[in-house]
Amino acid sequence: CGITSRVVNPSSFTCANLGTSPVTVILSDQSGNSEFCFASVTVVDNTAPSITCPANIAVNTDAGQCGALVNFAASATDNCTLSSLVQTGGAASGTQFPVGLSTISYIATDQSGNTSTCSFTITVTDAQNPTAVCQNVTVSLDNTGNGATTAAAVNNGSSDACGIQSLALSKTSFNCGNVGA
């Protein structure tokens, strides 16, 4: 005579119902007759967590240091339950990062094993000038009237937090025309 209604109870499911849930199906016809049966519904979470990393970070070295202390945090949410948010690459937030480029990665995992990842970079630039410390030197001229010195001889403990790459003098060769200070 034709089915007039189909009712499934329960008919909606949430993350609390993950796995197999029993349902009752009730069919009614035009004559008011009804019958029911039992079935199982498998509820699956296929939605990956939503993860957000900070924007790329660019900083200068901290005063007197060859690196910078950098703080950051990623965040994640999930339609069900977020199981973990783990940093998988790079140094931890709140630690000193070296000069150069560092890549930080995170992975978020939900209770169903779905994952999402994000990454960002931290660029630390050495913007501190080295400290030049010089000392006076005496250059003795040879029998041809020429003499020389080196940057190492004039250096008197110059320093830089990231190390001195090179030393140079504006003038290294001298002659009789340079006698005196």
Side-chain angles (χ1 to χ4, degrees):
C1 294
I3 296 174
T4 57
S5 72
R6 293 175 180 88
V7 177
V8 177
N9 187 22
S11 60
S12 63
F13 302 91
T14 67
C15 294
N17 304 111
L18 290 175
T20 303
S21 296
V23 295
T24 304
V25 179
I26 303 169
L27 300 173
S28 299
D29 66 16
Q30 294 177 3
S31 301
N33 299 312
S34 63
E35 183 65 37
F36 67 93
C37 65
F38 299 103
S40 294
V41 171
T42 302
V43 179
V44 178
D45 173 19
N46 289 324
T47 304
S50 175
I51 187 169
T52 303
C53 273
N56 292 337
I57 300 170
V59 296
N60 289 331
T61 54
D62 295 335
Q65 301 293 314
C66 189
L69 186 70
V70 181
N71 292 298
F72 53 84
S75 62
T77 59
D78 189 65
N79 62 320
C80 287
T81 301
L82 185 67
S83 294
S84 64
L85 176 60
V86 178
Q87 184 179 337
T88 59
S93 176
T95 61
Q96 189 176 63
F97 283 76
V99 170
L101 181 73
S102 299
T103 301
I104 310 301
S105 300
Y106 279 90
I107 185 167
T109 306
D110 71 11
Q111 69 186 23
S112 297
N114 299 309
T115 61
S116 294
T117 60
C118 69
S119 297
F120 65 101
T121 60
I122 296 175
T123 304
V124 178
T125 302
D126 178 11
Q128 298 179 67
N129 291 327
T131 301
V133 181
C134 300
Q135 63 185 349
N136 295 332
V137 297
T138 300
V139 175
S140 298
L141 301 178
D142 63 15
N143 61 354
T144 64
N146 294 303
T149 191
T150 64
V154 175
N155 182 33
N156 191 24
S158 299
S159 63
D160 185 83
C162 292
I164 295 175
Q165 183 178 4
S166 66
L167 295 170
L169 293 177
S170 60
K171 183 173 177 90
T172 58
S173 298
F174 301 91
N175 59 37
C176 293
N178 302 117
V179 172

